[in-house]
Amino acid sequence: MGRRLWRRRALVAACLGAALLLLRPAFENRAVGSSWLGGKRRSPLQMLYDLDQGPRSALAEVHRQRRDLLRRACSHHTRRQRLLRPEDLRHVLVDDAHGLLYCYVPKVACTNWKRVLLALSGRGPGDPRAIPAHEAHAPGRLPSLADFSPAEVNRRLRAYLAFLFVREPFERLASAYRNKLQRPWSAAFQRRFGTGIVRRLRPRPDPDALVRGHDVRFAEFLAYLLDPRTRRDGPFNEHWERAHALCHPCRLRYDVVGKFETLAEDAAFVLSLVGAPGLRFPEPPSWAQAAARDRAARLFRDISPFYQQRLYGLYRMDFLLFNYSHPSYQRLR
């Protein structure tokens, strides 16, 4: 990581009609330093800087490599990009008490991270597992970076530790389908999206399916994503939007890139930087990740190589930026 990590943190944003260039300057020149929390303790960003200056643990080295890979991938694969708008920062949640910025990506343990942030900030019980999911997702429970003025956004980008968690894109897509369109308790989501998918893509839809949208097949869901009309109608729903489109990792500098595949270790790493190693991240059962991979493999088994290749093209930047290989079950020819 070296001092280069702290040299520059850039966000180009269009706020209130003005274009702002927000920089993260050299760490040693930043005004926050010991003034963070009144000088009572070192900030998570300072803790990470300290780790970088001394002998690194194996995990700290993993995260340094992820940052470097992301930076190089952004440099190699991204062209001139549009200015960010305030709403582009909506997924970046703010914890002022601990100096954290967390960009949440649905279907990548974001419910549990919101629980943790609520517990840290005192907005919920001390045990994150005691916070119901609907409370974790309730609007307004956690402030978003989009809620602040340009000057306040700039100050937080300079001083706070920014992190996100990502997941192998096809597995995340399979999880979104299963959770939002296949399961019986997703009736509201099925009516909102499933009915439109059935109406657009099914030649002779059953009247009940047109009303309930309860029986969307995985192939229909993928066809909906690949249909150009879907993106012309507006952005993807956040549950299947590309992670890079939610978090803008080539415009915002992320200090920690966690992965769903190493969730327990990466969550513990972030909490150690926060100074809350005693706070336990609500981990899924040990068998859950293997089961999710198996479900994704079964769903993609019946998808032709042609459509798998097109889908890879759609999610290509997430594969490249976050260093994911083609899943073993993917058939490209």
Side-chain angles (χ1 to χ4, degrees), residues 132-198:
H134 71 273
E135 289 188 16
H137 292 297
R141 290 300 304 274
L142 291 164
S144 162
L145 201 56
D147 299 331
F148 296 94
S149 70
E152 291 172 324
V153 169
N154 188 20
R155 180 173 67 83
R156 287 167 174 82
L157 286 172
R158 290 172 181 264
Y160 290 8
L161 180 97
F163 71 100
L164 79 164
F165 273 70
V166 295
R167 185 176 186 178
E168 191 274 295
F170 279 14
E171 184 181 313
R172 176 175 169 248
L173 202 55
S175 177
Y177 165 75
R178 182 170 180 267
N179 184 254
K180 296 301 178 184
L181 292 171
Q182 191 179 46
R183 288 181 169 176
W185 58 79
S186 301
F189 222 90
Q190 291 168 350
R191 286 193 297 271
R192 182 181 173 190
F193 292 99
T195 55
I197 294 173
V198 169

Side-chain angles (χ1 to χ4, degrees), residues 195-215:
T195 55
I197 294 173
V198 169
R199 186 176 298 108
R200 180 189 296 180
L201 298 172
R202 201 171 292 178
R204 291 177 293 278
D206 181 271
D208 190 38
L210 284 172
V211 173
R212 297 169 58 197
H214 64 293
D215 62 348

Side-chain angles (χ1 to χ4, degrees), residues 177 201 216-225 299 302-303 307:
Y177 165 75
L201 298 172
V216 171
R217 295 183 286 272
F218 189 57
E220 292 174 322
F221 172 58
L222 299 186
Y224 163 78
L225 296 179
L299 284 170
D302 298 326
I303 305 302
Y307 281 103

